[in-house]
């Protein structure tokens, strides 16, 4: 039985996937299997996988159902106690799995483990993830205030995480009704139910891209459903409420920019404006045309290392 099962959903990533898979196979801890779930790719992604001869690779196929269904399917096929995830265009450093193994050995009672990560916005700009109210520790620690620390970037990110197969099944896996944000939903459920461990070393690179935040406008209603599904739990944790308000703020702002008035108003109604910064409040009040103009300047801003984080 392998120590880790590495599960990778694959959909039309032929340009990036060879590098991703190469880096997975080059880990300095080698006791793992790689489960790749081809989610109905229509490009040459499968041919990329078939060009590898490593016996640890297991390729499965399904009709296109989305990342949540692909990950759930892959985890059902997993043999290991610990599941590590990576998306088909992200990158691991060679010590990623060994760092996670160290976390597991230090805190075997925990259910979810994550490392620090960097974000690639474009070919010229890579920045470490930014966490709120959080000084990086020197070694792995248990996290007590996940939502407090995740008001900027999320402390847990999909391609940096591993968890026990048992707890994943207990939580019901990824919610396949969510075609977007299903990973954030699962991490919320983990945080509300189990202990999580964070390691400060950066071992993963997340490929974000500048246009990502607005490229899935049709999914904003799904995001809103997700980020209004824990209203009772929010009452028990002020930072959880603030975290969710920040997510709803992002939905409202993107919806206003894209002329989606109904979703903009619905998202806005769930926000406690006391949790927003002055700048966020101002942006929500600006006319849609002006917001569209500001958004068009984002690429220039990124090239000059000035990040318009309000548009996340």
């Amino acid at each position: 039985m392998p120590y880790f099962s590495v599960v990778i959903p694959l959909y039309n990533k032929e340009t990036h996937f060879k590098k991703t898979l190469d880096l997975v196979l080059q880990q300095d801890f080698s006791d793992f299997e790689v489960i790749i779930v081809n989610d109905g790719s229509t490009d040459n992604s499968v041919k990329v996988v078939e060009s590898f001869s490593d016996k640890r690779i297991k390729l499965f196929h399904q009709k296109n159902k989305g990342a949540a269904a692909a990950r759930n399917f892959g985890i059902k096929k997993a043999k290991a106690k610990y599941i590590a995830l990576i998306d088909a265009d992200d990158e691991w450093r060679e010590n990623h799995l060994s760092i996670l193994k160290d976390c597991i050995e230090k805190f075997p009672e925990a259910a979810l483990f994550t490392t620090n990560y960097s974000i690639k916005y474009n070919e010229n700009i890579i920045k470490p993830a930014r966490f709120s109210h959080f000084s990086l520790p020197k070694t792995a620690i248990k996290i007590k205030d996940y939502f407090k620390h995740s008001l900027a970037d999320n402390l847990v990110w999909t391609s940096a995480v591993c968890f026990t197969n048992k707890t994943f099944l207990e939580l019901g896996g990824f919610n396949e009704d969510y075609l977007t944000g299903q990973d954030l939903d699962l991490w919320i459920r983990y945080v509300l139910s189990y202990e999580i461990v964070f390691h400060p070393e950066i071992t993963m690179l997340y490929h974000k891209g500048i246009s990502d935040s607005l490229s899935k406008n049709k999914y904003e209603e799904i995001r809103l459903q997700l980020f209004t599904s824990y209203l009772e739990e929010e009452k028990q944790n002020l930072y959880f409420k603030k975290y969710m308000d920040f997510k709803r703020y992002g939905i409202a702002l993107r919806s206003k920019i894209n002329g989606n008035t109904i979703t903009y108003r619905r998202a806005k109604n769930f926000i406690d404006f006391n949790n927003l910064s002055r700048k966020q409040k101002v942006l929500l009040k600006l006319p849609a045309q002006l917001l569209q103009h500001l958004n068009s300047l984002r690429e220039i801003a990124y090239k000059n290392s000035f990040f318009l984080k309000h548009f996340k």
Side-chain angles (χ1 to χ4, degrees):
M1 180 183 295
Y3 193 92
F4 289 106
S5 291
V6 179
V7 176
I8 311 175
L10 178 61
Y11 177 72
N12 289 356
K13 295 291 185 180
E14 64 172 303
T15 304
H16 307 280
F17 191 52
K18 185 180 186 303
K19 183 175 184 179
T20 295
L21 188 52
D22 269 330
L23 292 172
V24 169
L25 296 174
Q26 292 169 15
Q27 292 295 296
D28 57 20
F29 179 77
S30 60
D31 185 13
F32 60 89
E33 64 176 353
V34 182
I35 297 175
I36 300 169
V37 180
N38 170 39
D39 187 35
S41 294
T42 57
D43 65 358
N44 291 316
S45 294
V46 171
K47 290 184 178 179
V48 173
V49 179
E50 292 173 344
S51 70
F52 287 80
S53 58
D54 196 301
K55 294 181 179 179
R56 292 172 294 181
I57 297 175
K58 300 174 182 178
L59 176 62
F60 299 92
H61 302 272
Q62 68 173 26
K63 293 181 180 180
N64 180 244
K65 298 179 181 178
R71 292 188 185 112
N72 285 342
F73 179 86
I75 293 170
K76 287 179 182 178
K77 299 293 184 180
K79 294 181 179 179
K81 177 179 178 180
Y82 295 101
I83 308 297
L85 301 179
I86 183 170
D87 284 341
D89 54 358
D90 290 336
E91 300 174 25
W92 281 351
R93 292 184 181 175
E94 65 178 7
N95 64 340
H96 178 71
L97 290 180
S98 60
I99 291 291
L100 287 174
K101 182 174 180 290
D102 290 344
C103 292
I104 292 167
E105 292 177 345
K106 184 175 182 181
F107 300 105
E109 71 281 5
L112 183 145
F113 310 84
T114 190
T115 63
N116 199 355
Y117 60 98
S118 293
I119 303 172
K120 184 175 183 177
Y121 295 90
N122 59 35
E123 290 303 317
N124 300 314
I125 297 177
I126 297 175
K127 294 286 185 179
R130 299 182 308 117
F131 307 123
S132 51
H133 309 284
F134 189 61
S135 298
L136 287 177
K138 294 182 179 180
T139 187
I141 60 168
K142 289 183 180 179
I143 297 298
K144 296 181 179 180
D145 298 304
Y146 173 80
F147 300 112
K148 180 178 181 180
H149 303 322
S150 298
L151 298 178
D153 293 314
N154 287 280
L155 203 64
V156 173
W157 198 251
T158 306
S159 293
V161 76
C162 86
F163 45 79
T164 64
N165 203 326
K166 179 177 180 291
T167 55
F168 177 82
L169 295 175
E170 288 173 351
L171 288 172
F174 289 99
N175 188 334
E176 297 180 19
D177 290 336
Y178 295 146
L179 298 180
T180 181
Q182 65 280 134
D183 48 352
L184 297 182
D185 171 65
L186 182 60
W187 312 147
I188 288 171
R189 284 184 276 142
Y190 261 104
V191 171
L192 295 177
S193 302
Y194 300 105
E195 292 183 321
I196 66 171
V197 172
F198 172 85
H199 196 288
E201 184 163 348
I202 294 174
T203 67
M204 190 276 286
L205 178 66
Y206 163 48
H207 285 245
K208 179 178 176 63
I210 293 174
S211 62
D212 178 71
S213 63
L214 292 177
S215 63
K216 299 179 180 179
N217 180 52
K218 63 181 180 180
Y219 294 141
E220 295 297 0
E221 273 295 330
I222 298 174
R223 291 190 182 102
L224 184 58
Q225 179 184 347
L226 191 168
F227 293 121
T228 55
S229 60
Y230 295 93
L231 296 177
E232 287 301 315
E233 290 84 352
E234 290 177 36
K235 296 176 182 178
Q236 310 303 317
N237 185 320
L238 293 177
Y239 277 105
F240 188 19
K241 166 65 174 167
K242 189 168 186 176
Y243 172 86
M244 298 299 258
D245 278 342
F246 276 24
K247 298 299 184 186
R248 293 185 284 253
Y249 158 79
I251 293 169
L253 190 64
R254 289 190 298 268
S255 296
K256 188 172 186 179
I257 291 171
N258 286 284
N260 188 347
T261 305
I262 294 175
T263 303
Y264 160 70
R265 289 175 177 169
R266 277 176 28 80
K268 187 178 175 183
N269 286 339
F270 284 101
I271 298 172
D272 180 348
F273 279 75
N274 291 320
N275 283 331
L276 300 186
S277 68
R278 180 180 300 177
K279 192 174 294 184
Q280 288 171 322
K281 294 174 186 177
V282 169
L283 283 169
L284 274 185
K285 291 181 180 179
L286 291 179
Q289 189 172 3
L290 179 55
L291 287 172
Q292 291 165 1
H293 176 67
L294 290 173
N295 186 63
S296 70
L297 300 176
R298 288 198 312 150
E299 187 165 353
I300 298 173
Y302 270 73
K303 288 180 179 178
N304 288 278
S305 299
F306 179 76
F307 301 107
L308 300 182
K309 283 291 190 178
H310 316 289
F311 294 92
K312 284 180 64 179

